[in-house]
Amino acid sequence: MALIKNILGRIFALWAMLVFTATLFIIIIPVCLTFLIKEPAGTEVYRRITKIWMQVFLTLSGCFLSVKGKQNFAKGKTYVVVCNHNSLMDVPLTTPFVPGANKTIGKKSFKKIPVFGWVYIRGSILVDRSSDESRRRSFEEMKRTLQHGLHMVIYPEGTRNRTTDPLKSFFDGAFKLAVDSKKEIIPAIIFNTRRVLPPGKPFFFWPHRLHMHFLPPIPVENITAKELKEKVFKTMWDYYLQNSKKF
């Protein structure tokens, strides 16, 4: 049975790669044209294009997505959205399906990927984690992004969670950003992306229903970044444990 699943997983991976690549070439010109649109409208147009792209890709690859909690985003407000990170499959879900224009903090190395790198750059603030100067510049750019009316989407675990725990420990950046900018945090939990693209299993793809839940905003008044980090971590940990077995 395991052998059959491994063979099918490779076949599904080939199909998903072909669908992703073919649809990428269809949307690349519209995405590049959004660089010409004034912000925040340009990023919102980009988000809508990528949302259609991902809806097509997810449907054709058998990974139907259910999104819950969009009502937690109040009209006219911007938030720091923090999301768990279990798989590379998380990346194509966050920017398109967060309600409203947003930017994601992303790895600088991804911009080197041919064609996809242009799409990635358009929706991201890039950071070289090995450089203190790069981290400082990206932090200031994130603050400007929030001031310009865009949400900031951050994976506070930093890298993919390869443990059996619901979450890895969080870095401080997202919470310092929220406190400094006086922007509420919306926790986001993604379920089942690890089933689709398991870490440590190259060229394997397994269709599965995905779920993305946005939780109620967490205020940042009268709280330190450390206290906020602990509160958000517990909120996300508890929610994941209470809901992961439902899907």
Side-chain angles (χ1 to χ4, degrees), residues 32-57:
C32 288
L33 289 175
T34 66
F35 282 102
L36 305 176
I37 304 174
K38 188 178 179 180
E39 296 290 24
T43 296
E44 176 59 9
V45 173
Y46 162 80
R47 185 191 72 84
R48 295 188 182 200
I49 293 170
T50 56
K51 183 177 181 180
I52 294 170
W53 175 34
M54 282 299 106
Q55 286 172 330
V56 171
F57 169 72

Side-chain angles (χ1 to χ4, degrees), residues 127-139:
V127 60
D128 178 359
R129 291 195 179 97
S130 65
S131 166
D132 291 340
E133 177 61 20
S134 177
R135 290 200 299 270
R136 186 193 65 77
R137 285 199 307 268
S138 67
F139 188 82

Side-chain angles (χ1 to χ4, degrees), residues 172-184:
D172 297 334
F175 311 99
K176 186 175 187 302
L177 175 67
V179 170
D180 287 1
S181 303
K182 296 181 173 57
K183 300 293 183 180
E184 293 177 315

Side-chain angles (χ1 to χ4, degrees), residues 3-246:
L3 177 61
I4 293 174
K5 185 171 181 178
N6 280 331
I7 293 171
L8 288 175
R10 266 64 181 185
I11 294 171
F12 291 144
L14 177 60
W15 169 249
M17 183 179 69
L18 290 173
V19 170
F20 186 89
T21 303
T23 51
L24 170 62
F25 279 99
I26 292 172
I27 60 96
I28 188 60
I29 292 177
V31 163
C32 288
L33 289 175
T34 66
F35 282 102
L36 305 176
I37 304 174
K38 188 178 179 180
E39 296 290 24
T43 296
E44 176 59 9
V45 173
Y46 162 80
R47 185 191 72 84
R48 295 188 182 200
I49 293 170
T50 56
K51 183 177 181 180
I52 294 170
W53 175 34
M54 282 299 106
Q55 286 172 330
V56 171
F57 169 72
L58 292 171
T59 299
L60 293 178
S61 61
C63 296
F64 301 101
L65 175 67
S66 172
V67 180
K68 178 180 177 182
K70 289 187 285 186
Q71 73 278 3
N72 289 317
F73 288 79
K75 188 175 181 179
K77 293 185 69 173
T78 54
Y79 300 91
V80 176
V81 181
V82 295
C83 185
N84 63 320
H85 194 14
N86 286 325
S87 164
L88 285 175
M89 196 69 186
D90 302 325
V91 176
L93 298 185
T94 46
T95 291
F97 295 101
V98 167
N102 66 88
K103 292 271 190 177
T104 304
I105 189 73
K107 294 180 182 179
K108 190 176 181 180
S109 58
F110 276 25
K111 75 174 185 178
K112 298 177 182 178
I113 301 174
V115 186
F116 175 73
W118 300 340
V119 179
Y120 191 76
I121 289 170
R122 182 62 184 88
S124 302
I125 293 172
L126 302 180
V127 60
D128 178 359
R129 291 195 179 97
S130 65
S131 166
D132 291 340
E133 177 61 20
S134 177
R135 290 200 299 270
R136 186 193 65 77
R137 285 199 307 268
S138 67
F139 188 82
E140 293 303 317
E141 190 173 350
M142 285 190 286
K143 288 201 289 188
R144 287 193 295 272
T145 295
L146 290 165
Q147 290 166 1
H148 291 158
L150 285 77
H151 308 304
M152 261 315 308
V153 181
I154 301 173
Y155 300 111
E157 295 165 287
T159 56
R160 283 170 286 167
N161 178 10
R162 297 174 183 268
T163 75
T164 57
D165 291 331
L167 299 168
K168 290 196 311 178
S169 59
F170 286 173
F171 287 98
D172 297 334
F175 311 99
K176 186 175 187 302
L177 175 67
V179 170
D180 287 1
S181 303
K182 296 181 173 57
K183 300 293 183 180
E184 293 177 315
I185 281 188
I186 287 188
I189 310 288
I190 299 176
F191 298 96
N192 295 333
T193 51
R194 191 181 302 198
R195 295 175 182 264
V196 178
L197 286 178
K201 202 166 187 177
F203 205 73
F204 182 93
F205 186 98
W206 195 258
H208 200 285
R209 179 171 285 278
L210 304 172
H211 297 265
M212 189 174 188
H213 292 186
F214 298 110
L215 309 189
I218 296 178
V220 298
E221 292 84 7
N222 303 315
I223 192 171
T224 66
K226 181 180 178 181
E227 291 168 339
L228 181 62
K229 179 175 73 170
E230 292 170 353
K231 183 174 184 178
V232 173
F233 184 90
K234 185 177 188 310
T235 299
M236 293 176 69
W237 180 286
D238 291 347
Y239 190 88
Y240 189 96
L241 285 181
Q242 290 165 11
N243 292 274
S244 59
K245 297 193 184 300
K246 297 178 182 178

